[in-house]
């Protein structure tokens, strides 16, 4: 063994130990090992930077942007919500639909993104059914990993092994080459979880948390705002023209709140070229201004009569869309302990002047207050329903000592921006899949085109927002680990490991060697990223296949499939960690469910892979 090979193995072992410990971010560990490979003279400058220009890295970064467009426009949530509702009151039907929906989505979208979007939907349905979420959330996470095996872009290990085949001058795997194995894994895994759910899955009560909080549109129904929204126009004969809002005293005289002001531009009709204004006390009203009001219909009619106004719209659906739009949002804020809001009224706080937002309702232990809000004394635990410009709402949410947001403000703002663009996002997604399936352009180019279209069509707010949607830890991890494979090949490490496996397991035959690759990869993926595992083992697998004179495809498929079998620990996959708190799970819950599932799937996959990809 040469000094360079020994150094490479030492660096790889140290990096793996850090990956397993989890005390240092995975991307930092990967970059650190990359720099050590350069310092020790094993790799050149061009070689350590090659990973950052690799097509795999660019494709995965672009897929994050495409996925963000799908999620931000609400397309995934809308489809998922409608499908999950098909369960009715049946818990076993809900269980089956979760497996199918999540597995299907994960074949084309980010596993983590799919779980993040559908998690609050599943929690909400569980609350309605009075079912324990702990019976559904581990299957939700596991189904996302199983579904990701079904297509080329479903999970990074699939992309990695396809690119390795191309590097070694073999025919790369096409988009649906993974589908038969992934489909079998999803069906077998889903049936196993369904049959054993009452025995293996915990059945404990979990409290509602922030992840199950209501979205802006759901809050409209929850607070029953639909019939309290009114749209009125200031006529030329109205005596409030040229007056400011403070002088009219709408709240004191009529218990009405002005939510928004829509001002016509260049005399255009309502809805065309209008400017949306936040209503401040010193706002001067003009002729043809349209006011979005919140209050009881009777008093609004009285206000219209007293000031010679007129109704501008009676379509309640349109009013709700105006309430939550690209510019304006509606969110719930809670009063925490030690908040300076306690024992004060909205008027005492000068809320509108300070935060440039309106409190349109207050929830006091289930009692909704929608009139004379400014004089209501606030107490610990009260919920304020706040409306305003998204930027102002985000500033209010930053006052964490005084208020706690009931939802992720940033995510709600992104969803509002993408509102109404779900059909566009769906078209782009279908266009991308068509380019991949028909092989019109290389896969990486198809994904880049789709990411670009998501940005320029407004499915993603801006290029800055697109960059924020990329999971840079995962991208940098992959880019920094690819040169590790180069170092192993350059120093002879891959051949050394391959020869070692051949001299031990290989003596037993091809099939035992194939089983060995599956088991080793599966074991390592419980503790480190499945992407890093695939990057390390894919070159070894293809070299081993070539050395013994058989097809390398089954060995590579064993690596890809087993790397995605990350069920035995909460750290094995981001989706496992995502549902841990919401489901009230412990480490042992994952072991109890995950290990038997991996054994069952392992037996099935070790039979199916050679049948579909012969040696």
């Amino acid at each position: 063994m040469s000094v360079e090979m020994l150094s490479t193995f030492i660096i790889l072992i140290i990096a793996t130990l850090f990956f397993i410990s989890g005390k240092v971010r995975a991307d930092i560990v990967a970059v650190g090992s990359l720099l050590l490979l350069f310092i020790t003279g094993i790799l050149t400058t061009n070689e350590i930077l090659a990973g950052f220009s690799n097509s795999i890295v660019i494709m995965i970064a672009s897929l994050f942007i495409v996925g963000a467009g799908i999620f931000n426009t609400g397309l995934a949530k809308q489809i998922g919500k409608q499908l999950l509702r098909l369960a009715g009151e049946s818990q076993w039907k809900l269980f089956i639909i979760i497996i199918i929906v999540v597995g299907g989505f994960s074949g084309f979208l980010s596993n983590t993104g799919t779980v993040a979007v559908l998690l609050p939907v599943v929690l909400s349905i569980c609350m309605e059914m009075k079912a324990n979420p702990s019976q559904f959330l581990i299957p939700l996470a596991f189904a996302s990993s199983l579904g990701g095996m079904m297509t080329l872009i479903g999970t990074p290990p699939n992309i990695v092994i396809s690119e390795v085949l191309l590097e070694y001058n073999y025919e790369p795997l096409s988009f649906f080459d993974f589908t038969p194995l992934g489909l079998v894994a999803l069906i077998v895994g889903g049936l196993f979880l369904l049959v054993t759910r009452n025995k293996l899955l915990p059945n404990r009560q979990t409290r509602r948390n922030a992840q199950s909080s209501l979205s802006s549109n759901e809050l409209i129904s929850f607070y029953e705002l639909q019939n309290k929204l009114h749209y009125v126009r200031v006529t030329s004969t109205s005596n409030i023209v040229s007056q400011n809002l403070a002088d009219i005293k709408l709240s004191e005289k009529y218990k009405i709140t002005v939510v928004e002001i829509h001002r016509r531009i260049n005399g255009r009709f309502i809805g065309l070229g209008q400017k949306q204004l936040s209503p401040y006390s010193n706002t001067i009203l003009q002729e043809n201004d349209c006011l979005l009001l919140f209050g009881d219909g009777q008093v609004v009619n009285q206000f219209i009569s007293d000031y010679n106004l007129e109704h501008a719209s009676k379509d309640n659906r349109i009013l709700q869309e105006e309430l939550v739009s690209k510019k304006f949002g509606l969110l719930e804020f809670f009063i925490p302990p030690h908040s300076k809001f306690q024992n004060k009224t909205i008027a005492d706080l000068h809320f509108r002047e300070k935060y440039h937002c309106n409190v349109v309702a207050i929830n006091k232990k289930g009692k909704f207050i929608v009139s004379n809000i400014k004089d209501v004394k606030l107490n610990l635990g009260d919920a304020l329903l706040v409306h305003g410009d998204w930027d102002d709402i985000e500033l209010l949410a930053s006052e964490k000592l005084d208020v706690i947001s009931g939802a992720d403000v940033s995510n709600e703002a992104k969803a509002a921006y993408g509102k109404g663009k779900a059909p566009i996002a769906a078209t782009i997604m279908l266009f991308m899949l068509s380019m991949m399936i028909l092989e019109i352009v290389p896969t990486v180019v198809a994904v880049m085109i789709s990411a670009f279209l998501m940005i320029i069509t407004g499915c993603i707010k801006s290029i800055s927002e697109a960059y924020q949607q990329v999971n840079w830890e995962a991208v940098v991890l992959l880019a920094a680990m690819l040169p590790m494979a180069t170092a192993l090949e350059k120093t002879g490490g891959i051949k050394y490991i391959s020869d070692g496996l051949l001299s031990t397991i290989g003596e037993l035959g091809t099939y035992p060697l194939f089983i060995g690759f599956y088991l080793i990869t599966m074991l390592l993926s419980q503790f480190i990223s499945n992407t890093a595992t695939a990057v390390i083992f894919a070159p070894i697998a293809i070299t081993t296949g070539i050395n013994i004179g058989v097809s390398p495809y089954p060995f590579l498929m064993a690596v890809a499939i087993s790397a995605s079998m990350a069920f035995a620990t909460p750290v094995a996959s981001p989706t496992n960690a995502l549902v841990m708190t919401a489901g009230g799970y412990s480490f042992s819950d994952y072991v109890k469910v995950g290990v038997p599932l991996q054994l069952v799937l392992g037996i099935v996959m070790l039979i199916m892979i050679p049948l579909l990809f012969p040696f």
Side-chain angles (χ1 to χ4, degrees):
M1 182 183 293
S2 66
V3 175
E4 290 81 4
M5 187 192 302
L6 179 62
S7 300
T8 302
F9 281 141
I10 291 172
I11 293 169
L12 178 59
I13 291 168
I14 292 172
T16 303
L17 291 174
F18 271 108
F19 284 142
I20 293 171
S21 72
K23 292 181 180 179
V24 182
R25 278 177 48 136
D27 53 340
I28 298 297
V29 174
V31 171
S33 63
L34 185 68
L35 294 174
L36 283 174
L37 290 171
F38 174 76
I39 292 169
T40 53
I42 296 168
L43 295 180
T44 65
T45 303
N46 288 338
E47 287 170 335
I48 67 168
L49 296 177
F52 292 91
S53 62
N54 191 284
S55 60
I56 303 175
V57 176
I58 296 170
M59 188 190 310
I60 289 176
S62 299
L63 281 170
F64 279 118
I65 297 173
V66 173
I70 298 292
F71 296 130
N72 287 359
T73 57
L75 176 63
K77 189 172 184 178
Q78 288 172 26
I79 297 172
K81 200 168 189 177
Q82 293 302 316
L83 290 173
L84 291 173
R85 291 291 179 194
L86 296 175
E89 297 297 320
S90 172
Q91 292 191 28
W92 72 268
K93 282 184 181 179
L94 176 62
F95 192 96
I96 293 171
I97 292 172
I98 286 173
I99 299 297
I100 295 171
V101 172
V102 176
F105 278 12
S106 296
F108 304 95
L109 302 170
S110 156
N111 297 356
T112 306
T114 298
V115 172
V117 166
L118 295 181
L119 175 58
V121 177
V122 173
L123 284 170
S124 176
I125 293 174
C126 286
M127 289 171 64
E128 291 176 15
M129 285 186 172
K130 295 184 170 57
N132 290 334
S134 61
Q135 289 266 290
F136 297 91
L137 298 187
I138 275 182
L140 173 72
F142 287 2
S144 71
S145 295
L146 292 169
M149 301 178 199
M150 292 197 298
T151 68
L152 174 66
I153 63 171
T155 185
N158 291 3
I159 301 173
V160 168
I161 68 162
S162 184
E163 289 296 315
V164 167
L165 282 165
L166 194 60
E167 288 175 15
Y168 280 76
N169 298 316
Y170 281 85
E171 185 70 24
L173 293 162
S174 66
F175 191 83
F176 286 117
D177 280 345
F178 299 86
T179 304
L181 279 174
L183 199 56
V184 169
L186 182 64
I187 292 171
V188 172
L191 288 174
F192 176 85
L193 291 169
L194 179 63
V195 171
T196 62
R197 71 189 187 103
N198 291 326
K199 293 182 179 180
L200 298 181
L201 288 168
N203 189 13
R204 60 177 70 101
Q205 294 288 341
T206 54
R207 295 183 298 176
R208 180 185 174 213
N209 54 55
Q211 287 174 304
S212 61
S213 56
L214 301 178
S215 67
S216 297
N217 290 314
E218 290 168 335
L219 286 168
I220 294 174
S221 298
F222 185 71
Y223 278 85
E224 300 178 347
L225 304 184
Q226 298 93 326
N227 299 321
K228 295 182 182 295
L229 295 172
H230 309 273
Y231 211 26
V232 303
R233 188 174 70 85
V234 179
T235 64
S236 58
T237 58
S238 174
N239 53 3
I240 63 171
V241 174
S242 300
Q243 290 194 50
N244 63 39
L245 284 177
D247 294 337
I248 302 172
K249 301 183 186 298
L250 278 178
S251 180
E252 292 87 342
K253 293 167 71 172
Y254 298 97
K255 296 181 173 57
I256 293 173
T257 301
V258 180
V259 180
E260 296 173 15
I261 299 173
H262 296 176
R263 182 160 290 169
R264 295 185 186 183
I265 301 173
N266 299 326
R268 294 183 181 179
F269 292 108
I270 297 168
L272 294 173
Q274 63 187 22
K275 183 179 181 182
Q276 292 175 295
L277 305 174
S278 295
Y280 303 134
S281 58
N282 60 352
T283 302
I284 304 296
L285 296 175
Q286 299 179 8
E287 179 186 345
N288 290 324
D289 278 354
C290 290
L291 312 180
L292 182 60
L293 305 177
F294 179 76
D296 290 325
Q298 187 175 349
V299 293
V300 169
N301 288 334
Q302 185 62 50
F303 169 60
I304 290 171
S305 176
D306 291 348
Y307 289 96
N308 195 24
L309 308 172
E310 66 180 25
H311 282 286
S313 172
K314 293 184 180 179
D315 190 328
N316 192 262
R317 181 183 59 80
I318 293 176
L319 295 184
Q320 291 184 51
E321 289 177 355
E322 294 287 358
L323 194 64
V324 181
S325 62
K326 292 181 182 180
K327 181 173 176 59
F328 291 107
L330 183 76
L331 282 186
E332 204 174 27
F333 289 87
F334 299 90
I335 309 298
H338 313 300
S339 169
K340 68 184 179 188
F341 284 24
Q342 288 189 58
N343 300 316
K344 291 185 179 179
T345 66
I346 299 298
D348 294 336
L349 295 168
H350 302 287
F351 194 90
R352 180 181 281 187
E353 290 79 6
K354 183 174 181 180
Y355 300 106
H356 300 161
C357 296
N358 288 312
V359 178
V360 295
I362 298 175
N363 182 355
K364 277 185 168 291
K365 298 179 181 178
K367 180 183 177 183
F368 298 153
I369 301 171
V370 295
S371 61
N372 205 28
I373 291 172
K374 71 181 186 66
D375 297 322
V376 176
K377 186 172 287 189
L378 303 176
N379 301 116
L380 174 66
D382 286 353
L384 310 181
L385 187 62
V386 176
H387 181 272
D389 188 291
W390 281 114
D391 291 337
D392 293 325
I393 288 179
E394 290 198 65
L395 287 174
L396 174 62
S398 67
E399 301 280 346
K400 296 187 183 297
L401 294 177
D402 298 318
V403 288
I404 297 175
S405 171
D408 188 314
V409 180
S410 177
N411 285 341
E412 288 294 319
K414 285 183 285 191
Y417 186 87
K419 194 175 180 181
K421 294 184 180 292
I424 297 174
T427 302
I428 294 171
M429 183 71 177
L430 291 173
F431 179 59
M432 180 185 79
L433 296 178
S434 299
M435 287 191 289
M436 289 178 171
I437 294 167
L438 299 174
E439 299 181 352
I440 297 171
V441 294
T443 302
V444 63
V445 176
V447 178
M448 288 176 67
I449 290 171
S450 303
F452 178 74
L453 290 174
M454 286 290 184
I455 297 168
I456 64 170
T457 57
C459 293
I460 295 177
K461 191 174 181 180
S462 64
I463 187 66
S464 298
E465 180 65 33
Y467 290 143
Q468 291 175 19
Q469 294 301 311
V470 177
N471 183 338
W472 290 109
E473 180 178 355
V475 171
V476 172
L477 169 65
L478 178 58
M481 285 304 296
L482 286 170
M484 176 63 75
T486 303
L488 286 170
E489 184 174 11
K490 185 178 180 180
T491 60
I494 288 176
K495 187 176 185 306
Y496 182 85
I497 297 173
S498 177
D499 290 344
L501 289 169
L502 287 173
S503 64
T504 52
I505 308 174
E507 292 180 355
L508 301 174
T510 301
Y511 194 74
L513 187 61
F514 163 74
I515 294 173
F517 267 104
Y518 188 97
L519 294 177
I520 294 169
T521 307
M522 184 178 69
L523 180 63
L524 196 59
S525 69
Q526 305 311 305
F527 303 101
I528 72 172
S529 157
N530 61 0
T531 307
T533 305
V535 168
I536 294 168
F537 278 97
I540 299 170
I542 194 169
T543 301
T544 302
I546 293 169
N547 286 344
I548 61 175
V550 300
S551 170
Y553 285 87
F555 289 97
L556 285 168
M557 290 303 297
V559 169
I561 297 296
S562 59
S564 297
M565 297 287 182
F567 306 131
T569 68
V571 298
S573 167
T575 56
N576 292 2
L578 197 59
V579 301
M580 188 174 186
T581 301
Y585 298 123
S586 63
F587 192 99
S588 61
D589 290 327
Y590 290 89
V591 176
K592 186 178 178 181
V593 184
V595 171
L597 175 61
Q598 285 180 268
L599 291 175
V600 170
L601 284 170
I603 293 169
V604 173
M605 291 296 104
L606 289 172
I607 295 171
M608 291 299 299
I609 292 173
L611 289 176
L612 295 172
F613 297 89
F615 291 109

